Amino acid sequence: QQREELQRQLTLFKDSEQMEKSFDASLSAFQRLCVHEISDSLGLRHVSSGRKPNRFITVSKEPQVPVAAAAPASAAAAARAR
């Protein structure tokens, strides 16, 4: 049941405009493990910081790069390769 709630929170975070979410030191070791595993499955970055009993996790997203912005660089590289 705890894992399902963490899955729900992380999925909502992934679908939101928010770029970073912190989980405080009140999480158990099992809950922290779940956050790491779920974050991996959702393609989110996750970092543990601090020492017990103040260990916490920060989850973040990669900034989105518009496809149109990346295309000119790719086209230029292809032109140089010819």
Side-chain angles (χ1 to χ4, degrees), residues 61-73:
K61 302 177 197 176
E62 293 284 343
Q64 295 295 320
V65 177
V67 175

Side-chain angles (χ1 to χ4, degrees), residues 7-75:
Q7 175 82 42
R8 186 188 72 75
Q9 288 181 38
L10 286 163
T11 300
L12 286 172
F13 163 69
K14 182 179 179 181
D15 295 338
S16 75
E17 300 275 327
Q18 187 180 357
M19 293 303 291
E20 189 173 280
K21 178 173 180 60
S22 292
F23 289 86
D24 66 29
S26 68
L27 293 184
S28 68
F30 173 73
Q31 290 170 316
R32 287 194 309 273
L33 175 64
C34 290
V35 170
H36 286 296
E37 291 176 347
I38 295 164
S39 295
D40 265 346
S41 73
L42 294 173
L44 299 168
R45 285 188 284 176
H46 47 96
V47 177
S48 288
S49 303
R51 293 190 165 187
K52 288 182 184 177
N54 300 313
R55 196 145 176 84
F56 65 97
I57 300 176
T58 303
V59 179
S60 60
K61 302 177 197 176
E62 293 284 343
Q64 295 295 320
V65 177
V67 175
S74 299

